């Protein structure tokens, strides 16, 4: 398929595929096993200016948008879905600043992110507030020219490794979701601590930690937007970031298809390559159809967002849901093509299956995405009847 990428977009994609092939693929299994944070790969990405692709040029970035972010994420995830998340989590943490930061906040925080000197993270989830994010309990109480943050955020990607955290906390506990606000919190803030690193099924090279606030003193100039805008900021952030999760899913699924196709050519049973059996061919063909359809959805949602379109929640949710469901199906099929070898850690496909699963869960589970899609459908239908 020709997605009519510009020369610059093709260059970004090719560079990231080269990094994935040469630098990430050879170490992916080791990081999966050790669950260490891949700082050496982060350095490679920083040297190649990858962290700046979607940051405007005036803040030391390359001036790209969501499509460029998706191209990078897809290719890095082809190498390893977990390692790619050092980039993806930083994008998620940067969006609130990009979309709602003042000029001063952008000048302060975006250039070191673009240069890959500092990673970012986004923190909304708590133990009792996952899909029901409005139930967060972390508070941010104004005291003079500071906000005092108290509470614990759970499962924060890049937690403990990132220097910059965008955090949603309640500035008014009586107002529920309308009482939430967004803050930039720097790692060296007094009172900011990190909990244990989670031991996960997949994306094991990604750090997932608690982020704990114990009377953390955050200067008032670190408030993003206005008090009470926290949930609007979170929702807009997810609308922009979900094509990134979808791109992660496409990268993982493409790798599973590539591995399965190669294996089907070289594995012989009954005196023939298993690729000569129609049952296997149909499986590969169905995988290819689903991967390509996912990619087309991701790029088209990303382009729509980059065009400045207002109603992006539905296309963003559609591409995230379809691509992540596809990644799960395709990685399961890839293990099937490999037969018993697919179940073994010596072969790459069981890791792809484990890595794919998270894309159906985070940044809003696929059930929540379907709620979003249905709500928009019903609203659009009602508007047509008026
Ligand atoms: C590895 C990892 C990394 C993460 N990174 C981050 C991060 O960087 N920052 C951050 O803030 N959070 C992060 N999260 C949190 C993630 O976004 C949440 O796990 C996710 O939103 C789901 O919340 P939950 O796990 O509490 O599930 P729950 O909300 O408890 O849901 C459990 C099940 O019920 C279903 N369900 C819930 N409500 C409904 C409904 N109304 N209708 C239908 N079904 C429903 C869900 O779909 C799910 O299947 C991460 C999580 C993981 C596992």
């Amino acid at each position: 398929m020709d997605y009519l990428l510009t020369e610059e977009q093709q260059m970004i994609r090719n560079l990231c595929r080269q990094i994935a092939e040469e630098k990430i693929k050879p170490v992916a299994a080791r990081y999966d096993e050790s669950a260490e944070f891949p700082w050496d790969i982060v350095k490679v990405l920083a040297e190649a200016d990858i962290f700046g692709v979607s940051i405007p040029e005036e803040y030391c970035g390359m001036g790209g948008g969501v499509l460029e972010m998706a191209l990078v994420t897809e290719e890095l995830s082809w190498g390893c879905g977990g390692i790619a998340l050092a980039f993806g989590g930083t994008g998620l943490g940067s969006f609130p600043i990009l979309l709602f930061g003042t000029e001063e906040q952008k000048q302060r925080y975006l250039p070191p992110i673009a240069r890959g000197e500092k990673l970012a993270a986004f923190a909304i989830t708590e133990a009792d507030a996952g899909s029901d994010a409005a139930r967060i309990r972390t508070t941010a109480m104004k005291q003079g020219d500071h906000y005092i943050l108290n509470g614990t955020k759970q499962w924060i990607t890049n937690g403990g490794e990132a220097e910059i955290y965008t955090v949603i906390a309640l500035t008014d506990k009586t107002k529920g979701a309308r009482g939430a606000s967004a803050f930039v919190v720097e790692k060296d803030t007094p009172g900011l601590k990190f909990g244990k690193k989670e031991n996960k099924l997949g994306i094991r090279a990604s750090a997932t930690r608690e982020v704990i606030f114990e009377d953390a003193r955050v200067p008032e100039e670190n408030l993003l937007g206005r008090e009470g805008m926290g949930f609007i900021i979170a929702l807009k952030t997810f609308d922009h970031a979900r094509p990134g999760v979808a791109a992660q899913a496409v990268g993982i699924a493409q790798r599973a298809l590539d591995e399965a196709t190669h294996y089907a050519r070289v594995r012989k049973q009954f005196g023939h390559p298993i690729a000569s059996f129609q049952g296997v061919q149909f499986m590969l063909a169905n995988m290819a159809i689903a991967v390509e359809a996912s990619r087309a959805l991701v790029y088209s949602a990303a382009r729509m967002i980059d065009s400045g379109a207002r109603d992006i929640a539905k296309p963003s949710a559609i591409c995230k849901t379809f691509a992540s469901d596809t990644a799960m199906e395709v990685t399961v099929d890839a293990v099937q093509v490999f037969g018993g070898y697919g179940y073994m850690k010596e072969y790459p496909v069981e890791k792809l299956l484990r890595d794919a699963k998270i894309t159906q869960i985070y940044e809003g589970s696929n059930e929540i995405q379907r709620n979003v899609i249905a709500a928009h459908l019903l609203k659009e239908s009602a508007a047509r009847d008026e």
Side-chain angles (χ1 to χ4, degrees):
M1 293 267 182
D2 183 353
Y3 289 102
L4 306 176
L5 298 177
T6 63
E7 232 171 78
E8 197 175 16
Q9 288 162 351
Q10 286 179 39
M11 206 189 69
I12 290 169
R13 189 186 58 183
N14 295 344
L15 173 63
C16 290
R17 173 54 74 98
Q18 192 184 347
I19 292 173
E21 274 276 10
E22 294 174 6
K23 306 285 184 192
I24 299 179
K25 193 176 161 190
V27 298
R30 174 162 63 78
Y31 277 112
D32 178 53
E33 189 69 31
S34 70
E36 276 169 64
F37 194 77
W39 278 112
D40 56 342
I41 305 292
V42 169
K43 197 160 162 259
V44 170
L45 298 177
E47 279 164 5
D49 286 334
I50 297 300
F51 284 100
V53 286
S54 301
I55 292 178
E57 286 170 9
E58 56 268 40
Y59 310 114
C60 304
M62 284 166 68
V66 174
L67 180 56
E68 283 75 7
M69 175 195 72
L71 292 169
V72 171
T73 308
E74 179 185 336
E75 295 306 335
L76 300 183
S77 301
W78 182 93
C80 173
I83 293 177
L85 212 46
F87 171 82
T90 294
L92 179 66
S94 311
F95 271 124
I97 304 171
L98 263 172
L99 297 171
F100 293 92
T102 59
E103 184 55 30
E104 270 181 349
Q105 289 167 335
K106 289 180 187 173
Q107 286 292 356
R108 176 166 181 164
Y109 293 113
L110 295 179
I113 292 174
R115 289 192 293 264
E117 293 161 5
K118 293 183 176 179
L119 299 184
F122 179 73
I124 184 166
T125 303
E126 299 177 7
D128 292 327
S131 304
D132 189 4
R135 279 180 61 89
I136 59 166
R137 291 208 204 115
T138 298
T139 52
M141 292 300 144
K142 191 85 187 278
Q143 210 176 81
D145 55 3
H146 280 72
Y147 286 90
I148 310 299
L149 269 64
N150 278 291
T152 299
K153 296 294 178 183
Q154 177 172 273
W155 299 338
I156 304 309
T157 298
N158 286 347
E161 313 294 337
E163 298 284 333
I164 297 167
Y165 295 81
T166 46
V167 179
I168 308 295
L170 298 176
T171 39
D172 187 340
K173 285 190 277 188
T174 64
K175 287 190 182 159
R178 284 171 200 275
S181 305
F183 299 89
V184 184
V185 183
E186 296 184 45
K187 190 180 186 182
D188 60 4
T189 301
L192 174 61
K193 297 175 182 163
F194 301 99
K196 69 178 164 59
K197 189 170 168 178
E198 302 295 344
N199 186 8
K200 305 192 294 293
L201 172 76
I203 56 161
R204 290 172 53 78
S206 171
T208 312
R209 281 198 180 87
E210 282 178 339
V211 176
I212 303 161
F213 304 95
E214 287 176 2
D215 290 328
R217 285 172 61 78
V218 178
E220 64 180 353
E221 59 266 26
N222 286 23
L223 174 73
L224 286 165
R226 293 187 309 279
E227 278 193 21
M229 281 182 68
F231 272 94
I232 296 170
I233 293 176
L235 290 178
K236 288 281 167 214
T237 293
F238 285 133
D239 287 348
H240 282 75
R242 278 176 186 144
V245 176
Q248 182 189 29
V250 173
I252 293 169
Q254 180 65 56
R255 176 70 182 281
L257 174 60
D258 293 346
E259 295 288 349
T261 308
H262 176 261
Y263 186 79
R265 282 178 37 239
V266 297
R267 171 70 173 169
K268 284 191 178 155
Q269 289 293 278
F270 302 99
H272 298 281
I274 59 167
S276 68
F277 306 133
Q278 198 178 48
V280 173
Q281 285 183 9
F282 278 13
M283 208 162 12
L284 294 174
N286 285 335
M287 290 159 80
I289 293 165
V291 172
E292 212 56 67
S294 300
R295 181 176 290 119
L297 267 178
V298 176
Y299 292 5
S300 103
R303 283 187 163 122
M304 192 176 157
I305 296 169
D306 290 338
S307 75
R310 278 171 57 89
D311 296 329
I312 57 172
K314 189 172 80 167
S316 185
I318 286 177
C319 78
K320 192 267 186 189
T321 309
F322 189 82
S324 56
D325 285 351
T326 293
M328 207 57 233
E329 286 161 18
V330 165
T331 53
V332 166
D333 283 350
V335 171
Q336 192 68 18
V337 170
F338 271 70
Y341 292 101
Y343 207 69
M344 304 297 154
K345 282 199 183 282
E346 284 82 1
Y347 289 81
V349 284
E350 61 83 33
K351 172 181 180 295
L352 295 170
L353 187 156
R354 289 186 284 109
D355 287 351
K357 184 59 201 170
I358 192 62
T359 62
Q360 293 181 307
I361 297 172
Y362 61 14
E363 289 197 28
S365 71
N366 283 6
E367 289 72 34
I368 296 302
Q369 303 309 307
R370 287 182 166 91
N371 288 347
V372 170
I373 296 161
H376 278 79
L377 280 179
L378 298 172
K379 207 168 105 190
E380 287 157 13
S381 168
R384 279 195 297 274
D385 289 349
E386 273 173 13

